[in-house]
Amino acid sequence: MSIVKMNKLSLIGMEKDKEPIIKALMKLGCVDIIDSTQQLSLMEEPGLAVQDGDSEGVLNLQKQIDSVKSAINYLSKFDNKKKGLFAPKRSISQKEYDSIIENQQKVWDVVNKIEQYDKELADLRSEQNRLSNMIDSLKPWEKLEIPVEDIKTRSTIISTGTLPSMVEMQKFREQIDEQLPASYFEIISDDKDQYYVLIIYHKALEEDADRLLKQNGYTKVSFKEITGTIKENIEKFQSRIEEIEKYRPELEKKIAELVNEKENLEVLYDYLVIQKDRKEILSKVIKTEHVFMLEGWLPAECSKSVEEKISKGWDCYIDIREPEKDEEYPIELRNNKLVQPFEMITEMYSLPKPNGIDPNPFMAPFFFAFFGLMVSDAGYGLLMAIAAGIMLIKFKPQGMAGKLIKLIFFGGISTFIWGALFGGWFGDIAQLVSGGKFAIKPIWFNPMENPMKLLIWSMVFGVIQLFVAMGLQAYLMIRDGKVKDAIFDIGFYMIFLLGLMSLLVGGTIATAGKYMAIAGAILMVLTQGRNQKNIFKKFTSGVLSLYNAVGFMSDVLSYSRLLALGLSTGVVASVINTMGTLMGFSIPGMIVLVVVFIIGHIFNMAINVLGAYVHASRLQYVEFFGKFYEGGGKAFKPFKINTKYINVDDRRTE
């Protein structure tokens, strides 16, 4: 239960063997290949070696991946076999996998068909939108019976346009009659903003017409892309839209017929991702004309198998060594199944440094206890544990998702335990429904009736965790050879604090505590200024160190949030139950009770689970980790086969 010990791998091989060696390392999946290009600047002969890599090849593969991914997403719309959020990857045999890849051109034909159909559908949508917009623009002119291409005759000018709605039409008509004799004016239609008008006048009056129309805000409208009457064009466009609407389902049906190829597309997608990963990793490798070199980190337990695998397959130089003192290496945490889910709490904060300590085995019990204490309703805990358990059994989620579901499962167990201790079963629903005749009694005590007791115990739990943190800090000091610092700075401080807290108990313990506090205070005053040269500063530093007890008490008070969140769950649950029973226990009342009960308790459980997660994490990050933990580690990311859809099972031969 600790940080996995790492070894450093250095490998020099022949350029001709590079691809199969990279492939073998990827299949082994236990080497975190690091960037070796920094070695180039240390070489005595610049230019002797260069950075490897194929950026153009990576770019081309990424384009292919995007195309296949787009095709998969497109077919997913027509796939009735919907996958769950945590659905496991599909397992196929090596033979089936090889067959699909060898005949991948057939799969690419499907991708090309889907892209073609998609483009055709996009063109149809674009055309339909364009035609709809044209119809909308032509609608005001639908009553215009003149063909739009007839804009003039030998002696007249025909003009269509718009006038602002503010124009007084009666006055405008009088101006036309006066200034443009023997002309024709017609309002085709109008709306709240403008008039759509037709005006025909003699060519000799063109200048007068232009001046008059301009004075009244006239805007000329031309119909350049169409011929014939407006009504004929609208009917033609509507007919084309109907054709598109009939043809589009046929095109979508053709795409839906390809849905059975989705699984082959997924295989091709994962294959391309693997090829891209192999090419990308080459950018971390350096090479000469005939040889290449790579470096990486691997778990010490894998060193022998990696060395044997590579040495037996190819002639190359392999050096596997332990890290040098203070040499940074990637971090992999390895804990038992009970602690693993809680690793995500630490990972969200920061991984430990190589010379640090894995806090998870020490943090997990506290997070487990605090989470359940903050929710503290046995009914909620039972629902959480059952739901998470079903997901774990049915879907077997891996990685961060798996840790999260397991964390919820353990959180549900803790919540159930604390709920039973406090007597919380969906609040006080049993008591309300039975009219006070039946109530589930707490195994320990009811925090709603005795909140001070819960507050005291919350602080006790806080003191325990803070003392564990100080103990871990002392361990790190002793490990690093600072035994005196551990005794003087941590040991004496703990004696002082224990003495102070014993004073609160009373009786014989308080008497013993008084002497402990005095002894601890004297020891701190004598030792905390030991690094100061001036005797006055030594004494002053020692006295001031006693003030740290105030900070400790402040940290302990932070654990009062256990009381606050624990009470809030019960209070809100009781309010929900009361609201549900307001209409009594008639048939309508029972319906209201069921609805309010389900919706209210789901909301209450969700909001309190979220709050418990946030505040339990906060206690670990600030109060616990802050005393001893140093983060900043880099995660171990082995170069391995990362697939999204499939797992290739070598044992399957069908």
Side-chain angles (χ1 to χ4, degrees), residues 18-28 278 639 641:
K18 180 176 64 180
E19 289 294 333
I21 289 176
I22 292 290
K23 185 176 180 180
L25 289 174
M26 187 179 207
K27 192 169 184 180
L28 286 167
R278 286 180 189 164
F639 175 56
I641 295 173

Side-chain angles (χ1 to χ4, degrees), residues 409-430:
F409 175 76
F410 286 129
I413 293 175
S414 177
T415 301
F416 174 78
I417 294 171
W418 283 108
L421 289 173
F422 294 156
W425 295 81
F426 297 106
D428 56 352
I429 189 65

Side-chain angles (χ1 to χ4, degrees), residues 577-593 596:
N577 294 335
T578 302
M579 290 173 61
T581 56
L582 287 176
M583 293 184 65
F585 297 100
S586 60
I587 293 178
M590 290 301 294
I591 294 173
V592 171
L593 174 60
V596 172

